[in-house]
Amino acid sequence: MDNDSGDDAVWQTALDWLMREHEETLSDVDREALHAWLAVSSLHRRVFHEAEQLWMLTGLIPSGDERN
Amino acid sequence: MHLAYERCPCYMSLLTEPTKNQPAYRYKKWISSHRLTYLMVTQIIIVAIYSVVLIKAGGRAVDTQTWSAELEDIFVNQRPRLCCVAAKVLGNADQADDVVQDAYLKISEATTLFEVKQPISYVSRVVRNLAIDRCRRSAFESALFAKAEEGDNASCASHSPEVIAIDRQALAQVVESLNELPERTRRAFELYRSGNHTQREVALQLGVSTTSVNFMIRDALTHCHQSLQGRSLPDK
């Protein structure tokens, strides 16, 4: 559990971005919004970096179809 | 008498040699005959364990070798097609080769943990994923560069090299964390991430609302994140 609700909000926003990007191609406006969000604080950048590292790792796990 | 022989064959020799029936002799005799049995049994056990280990290691070595060859074969023969997959996401061919190389390295590491029966679809999907990651990162880094030039003290957390091996221990932990999830959550996440479905598609497949799917995906990622944060990180 995240004991800091602020951290959790940042984490959830990072997930929002990754999930959006997974489902659609982000427009230039979207990318600018993401960069603006990242530029706000080093916390945003750190948490986003953790989220995308985890996202990358989960992408390496074969799906059920690929395993059988 | 007959029963006694059957139950304790070693006792038989003691009965046939009544002159040597002193307690010390009996003890010695008992020890020596049992030691032989004991030695034989241990020898057999050791040989059996050793053979099992050897057979397993041998089998594994052959499997790993076959898989490495198969993987190399895909990356050599399908390279143009894989570069195409990457280039399509990246919008140009410049970095496509690099992404494919990165995929090769990461897959070689990751597949020491999994068995993949449909390597071509798996490899193509990973290449596509990594191209998306690359796309995001390069846009992200150029934005940070722009910020730095403006005099902002925005240092990027890590200037990771473009081609980087994965943290295999972290990957193993992620797999373990996903397995701890309720079955439906795990399934929703797998369909979304590895199955490349949208939340709406996952919702339709599982017969739940899109909102539930959204929560399940968040739960899955948050659970993995917390488990990774809880592990003892190696000192850097």
Side-chain angles (χ1 to χ4, degrees), chain B residues 95 121 129:
Chain B
Q95 290 182 308
S121 82
N129 284 346

Side-chain angles (χ1 to χ4, degrees), chain A residues 11-12 16 19 21-23 35 38 49-50 52 54-55 57-61 64-68, chain B residues 115 117-118 121-122 125 136 139-140 158 171 190 192-194 196 198-199 218 221-222 225-226:
Chain A
W11 170 252
Q12 296 299 338
D16 279 340
M19 286 160 79
E21 199 180 34
H22 179 71
E23 296 198 31
H35 297 151
L38 289 168
H49 181 68
E50 285 169 10
E52 67 173 357
L54 171 61
W55 185 250
L57 287 178
T58 58
L60 290 169
I61 302 171
D65 291 344
E66 290 160 354
R67 250 173 295 176
N68 297 308
Chain B
E115 205 175 337
K117 295 274 173 65
Q118 304 293 334
S121 82
Y122 172 69
R125 184 176 62 75
R136 179 201 320 121
F140 171 32
S158 79
L171 180 59
E190 184 184 303
Y192 186 68
R193 184 62 178 122
S194 312
N196 254 335
T198 62
Q199 293 174 58
R218 284 172 195 279
L221 288 165
T222 306
H225 185 230
Q226 283 164 356

Side-chain angles (χ1 to χ4, degrees), chain B residues 109-151:
Chain B
E109 289 268 319
T111 48
T112 55
L113 300 171
F114 322 102
E115 205 175 337
V116 179
K117 295 274 173 65
Q118 304 293 334
I120 294 182
S121 82
Y122 172 69
V123 167
S124 310
R125 184 176 62 75
V126 171
V127 166
R128 189 176 166 274
N129 284 346
L130 293 177
I132 295 172
D133 289 354
R134 175 70 56 95
C135 216
R136 179 201 320 121
R137 203 166 310 127
S138 57
F140 171 32
E141 275 167 10
S142 58
L144 283 174
F145 259 118
K147 277 276 163 202
E149 278 166 18
E150 283 169 26

Side-chain angles (χ1 to χ4, degrees), chain B residues 62-82:
Chain B
V62 169
D63 281 350
T64 315
Q65 243 175 18
T66 315
W67 170 247
S68 300
E70 195 176 344
L71 204 57
E72 211 175 294
D73 193 57
I74 291 172
F75 274 90
V76 170
N77 293 325
Q78 310 267 335
R79 196 168 193 96
R81 203 183 59 79
L82 294 173

Side-chain angles (χ1 to χ4, degrees), chain A:
Chain A
M1 276 213 310
D2 274 317
N3 43 17
D4 190 325
S5 59
D7 271 19
D8 187 54
V10 173
W11 170 252
Q12 296 299 338
T13 309
L15 296 188
D16 279 340
W17 282 113
L18 290 171
M19 286 160 79
R20 275 187 67 181
E21 199 180 34
H22 179 71
E23 296 198 31
E24 56 185 296
T25 309
L26 295 184
S27 69
D28 288 348
V29 177
D30 293 330
R31 287 215 180 272
E32 267 175 42
L34 170 60
H35 297 151
W37 181 76
L38 289 168
V40 169
S41 76
S42 58
L43 174 72
H44 288 193
R45 289 189 288 280
R46 180 176 60 75
V47 172
F48 188 76
H49 181 68
E50 285 169 10
E52 67 173 357
Q53 280 298 108
L54 171 61
W55 185 250
M56 184 274 290
L57 287 178
T58 58
L60 290 169
I61 302 171
S63 69
D65 291 344
E66 290 160 354
R67 250 173 295 176
N68 297 308

